């Protein structure tokens, strides 16, 4: 069983914001696999097939660990089969990187997951959203993408979905090999 979790904040006020790109990616992956994230429970909205759970925590970003923990325990998912999709300020919009483990940095959702699980060994797909020039970080992550960024982020979401496929097919090392060499969707280097 694999658990794929897209991070974001619940509610229409946060829909399509930079901080919710994890929600967008997991929704797209569900659509591509004819699944609908509509079951409510375990602090999440989720969809389940025979070997896959796709989820969007409904705890707000800073308490994501509670939802991921509940899902992983309920569905008996080993830590190495969990993949988190989330926004990342350290990369410009559209850059995708997979990380096997490490600190949560400034991302409160990842930091909470690490704290709840008691380990940094939680795989994640980092989706670049850029770093703010003027507004405070909080205002920036809760803002929407500008018109020029939208097609870039649509490609990034598709690349994140490819990363999920690689993770499910071959594990984290395979996914890192396949996806990290590209960086930006469409890159072949």
């Amino acid at each position: 069983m694999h658990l794929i979790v897209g991070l974001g904040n619940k509610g229409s006020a946060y829909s399509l914001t930079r901080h919710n790109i994890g929600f967008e990616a997991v929704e797209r992956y569900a659509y591509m696999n004819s699944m609908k994230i509509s079951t409510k429970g375990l602090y999440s909205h989720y969809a389940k097939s025979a070997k896959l759970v796709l989820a969007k925590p409904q705890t707000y970003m800073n308490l994501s660990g509670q939802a991921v923990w509940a899902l992983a325990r309920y569905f008996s998912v080993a830590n190495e089969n969990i993949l988190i999709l989330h926004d990342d300020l350290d990369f410009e919009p559209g850059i995708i990187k997979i990380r096997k483990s490490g600190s949560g940095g400034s991302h409160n959702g990842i930091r909470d997951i690490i704290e709840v699980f008691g380990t940094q060994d939680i795989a994640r797909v980092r989706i670049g959203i850029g770093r703010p020039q003027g507004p405070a970080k909080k205002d920036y992550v809760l803002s929407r993408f500008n018109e020029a960024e939208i097609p870039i982020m649509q490609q990034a979401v598709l690349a994140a979905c490819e990363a999920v496929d690689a993770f499910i097919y071959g594990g984290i090392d395979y996914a890192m090999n396949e996806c990290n060499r590209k960086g930006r969707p469409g890159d072949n280097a």
Side-chain angles (χ1 to χ4, degrees):
M1 181 70 75
H2 285 86
L3 171 60
I4 312 301
V5 180
L7 298 188
N9 285 308
K10 66 180 179 176
S12 60
Y14 299 105
S15 181
L16 301 175
T17 61
R18 293 172 190 275
H19 220 19
N20 274 33
I21 198 69
F23 272 13
E24 299 302 317
V26 79
E27 282 281 0
R28 181 66 179 177
Y29 191 79
Y31 175 80
M32 292 167 65
N33 288 277
S34 301
M35 295 174 73
K36 185 170 174 69
I37 299 174
S38 59
T39 303
K40 296 176 182 178
L42 304 168
Y43 309 103
S44 299
H45 292 170
Y46 65 91
K48 183 187 177 300
S49 68
K51 298 199 175 217
L52 179 64
V53 177
L54 304 175
K56 299 185 330 183
Q58 298 297 295
T59 54
Y60 290 106
M61 186 68 78
N62 295 356
L63 300 174
S64 297
Q66 178 182 26
V68 178
W69 179 264
L71 290 158
R73 295 306 154 256
Y74 185 81
F75 293 111
S76 300
V77 180
N79 287 6
E80 61 268 15
N81 289 336
I82 299 170
L83 183 66
I84 309 297
L85 310 175
H86 69 90
D87 60 295
D88 198 302
L89 288 164
D90 290 333
F91 303 124
E92 64 184 85
I95 299 291
I96 300 291
K97 292 289 181 183
I98 301 176
R99 189 170 189 183
K100 188 176 194 173
S101 67
S103 77
S106 65
H107 197 287
N108 291 333
I110 295 297
R111 288 195 336 226
D112 190 60
I113 292 167
I114 289 168
E115 183 177 321
V116 169
F117 276 78
T119 181
Q120 293 186 359
D121 296 334
I122 302 291
R124 57 208 90 145
V125 175
R126 302 162 68 191
I127 305 169
I129 61 167
R131 187 164 287 284
Q133 298 296 321
K137 183 177 107 175
K138 180 181 176 187
D139 293 335
Y140 181 77
V141 298
L142 297 179
S143 70
R144 289 182 166 74
F145 294 100
N146 65 45
E147 195 172 319
E149 292 170 324
I150 290 172
I152 294 167
M153 296 313 296
Q154 288 170 335
Q155 287 301 310
V157 164
L158 291 176
C161 292
E162 290 175 11
V164 172
D165 277 338
F167 175 76
I168 292 170
Y169 174 77
I172 188 61
D173 292 326
Y174 175 78
M176 289 171 65
N177 265 348
E178 287 296 303
C179 301
N180 286 351
R181 64 184 169 79
K182 292 180 183 179
R184 180 180 295 284
D187 286 354
N188 293 319

